[in-house]
Amino acid sequence: MSRRGWALFLALSVIWGIPYLLIKVAVDGVHPSVVVFLRTLIGAALLLPIAAARGQLKPVLRRWRPLLLFTAVEITAPWLLLTEAERKVTSSFAGLLIAVVPLVGAVLALISVSSDRLSRDRLVGLLVGFAGVAALLGIDLHGAHGQALAAVFILLTAVGYALGPMVVARALSDVPPMGVIALALGINAVIYLPFALHDAPSRTPAANVVWSLIGLGVLCTAAAFLVFFALIAEVGPQRATVITYLNPAIAILLGVTLRGEKFTAGMAIGFPLVLLGCWLATGRRAAPQAVPEALVGDLEATYSGAVRGRDEELT
């Protein structure tokens, strides 16, 4: 992986390790549908005016079918499932279980026509990582009342997260990323508006809940998706999902230190396996295609140039 790829990888691993804590705080004060609505509304409010001013919406609207598919598999269903699940499980548990995403992505790559094929080393890494997830489920959920359904919700979320990058790489890689992100968030906000109105709290939530919702919208949504698209362009859709191997470190650290969540036996056994799987899944492979010198501009220019090369590789 290139230096730029590692920088994007680490940045997104940190950014997307934070939402689990913020979601856990938010659902203490508001319904999951309200959390998802406000998260997407804030993100859309920040990105739509910028995308519109730059003329980046029309090209995306011409791809409205894959746009709707991306919105559904990456945002609409997964975010509600994950948020609902965190009413029953800790933020640390949710963050660790999402580490199954690379394994789902590997299976999807095997049955697809993608050139981002699964190597033997990567397969070993993914299986080791999945063994860590299995340890988490087998130990921490043993005899735990009411958590099995939450685990299923998180696993379904992982399926959506694995599908999202593939939709981007195959059908949206040559359109402005700001337009894709802004429209997807806007569409989702419209979808959830009636549910959020129905489930709106009768009084103003506590300050920590409000700040968690703001953090979810600004940092973990608007900013995170910009980095996410750039990472897909740099390293490919399957390898991009390996960020979920480092997310648990942030989720556990924040959950244990800030919310007093227990560091369980399942985490103690599963987490090292997850880290080992990350190392195996990302190491000892051929370096990715060189990044053109023209890609040293701003984020938009970087993404636009990189995705053209990625799109040619995939087609």
Side-chain angles (χ1 to χ4, degrees), residues 4-312:
R4 169 180 163 77
W6 275 112
L8 292 169
F9 176 89
L10 294 174
L12 195 57
S13 295
V14 172
I15 292 173
W16 270 345
I18 297 173
Y20 306 100
L21 173 67
L22 299 184
I23 290 171
K24 189 66 177 178
V25 174
V27 295
D28 285 343
V30 295
H31 192 274
S33 65
V34 178
V35 175
V36 177
F37 168 71
L38 291 176
R39 180 180 180 181
T40 54
L41 179 66
I42 293 171
L46 291 173
L47 298 182
L48 276 173
I50 301 173
R54 296 179 178 180
Q56 296 177 333
L57 298 182
K58 288 184 177 180
V60 180
L61 289 172
R62 298 190 189 102
R63 306 284 184 85
W64 62 271
R65 288 185 179 87
L67 172 65
L68 291 178
L69 179 59
F70 171 78
T71 303
V73 302
E74 185 71 30
I75 302 176
T76 306
W79 286 10
L80 181 64
L81 290 170
L82 177 60
T83 306
E84 182 66 38
E86 288 210 42
R87 301 173 84 177
K88 299 294 184 181
V89 298
T90 65
S91 62
S92 303
F93 179 91
L96 269 176
L97 190 52
I98 286 292
V100 76
V101 171
L103 182 60
V104 177
V107 173
L108 293 175
L110 284 175
I111 63 177
S112 72
V113 296
S114 172
S115 61
D116 193 13
R117 289 296 181 180
L118 187 67
S119 67
R120 183 178 63 180
D121 288 345
R122 192 180 302 176
L123 175 61
V124 171
L126 295 174
L127 291 177
V128 170
F130 182 72
V133 174
L136 176 69
L137 288 174
I139 297 175
D140 286 1
L141 286 188
H142 182 67
H145 177 69
Q147 293 186 342
L149 183 59
V152 172
F153 283 175
I154 297 173
L155 291 174
L156 290 175
T157 298
V159 174
Y161 284 173
L163 285 170
M166 300 183 73
V167 174
V168 170
R170 296 184 183 186
L172 297 170
S173 62
D174 59 344
V175 295
M178 181 79 75
V180 173
I181 298 165
L183 285 170
L185 294 174
I187 291 168
N188 199 76
V190 171
I191 292 172
Y192 274 96
L193 175 59
F195 302 101
L197 291 175
H198 179 270
D199 299 325
S202 58
R203 57 183 180 180
T204 303
N208 64 333
V209 174
V210 173
W211 281 112
S212 294
L213 292 169
I214 293 173
L216 281 170
V218 176
L219 176 64
C220 303
T221 302
F225 267 117
L226 290 175
V227 180
F228 176 58
F229 274 78
L231 181 63
I232 292 172
E234 180 71 18
V235 304
Q238 182 184 340
R239 206 172 302 174
T241 63
V242 182
I243 61 166
T244 54
Y245 277 128
L246 293 187
N247 290 353
I250 305 300
I252 292 173
L253 178 63
L254 295 177
V256 171
T257 59
L258 299 183
R259 285 197 55 94
E261 297 174 355
K262 291 181 61 177
F263 186 77
T264 64
M267 294 177 187
I269 297 173
F271 187 48
L273 291 176
V274 165
L275 288 181
L276 177 60
C278 176
W279 180 79
L280 291 172
T282 59
R284 295 185 296 173
R285 289 192 301 275
Q289 187 173 345
V291 179
E293 294 182 3
L295 302 186
V296 298
D298 60 16
L299 178 60
E300 178 187 359
T302 300
Y303 177 83
S304 299
V307 295
R308 282 195 293 271
R310 176 62 56 182
D311 190 55
E312 291 173 359

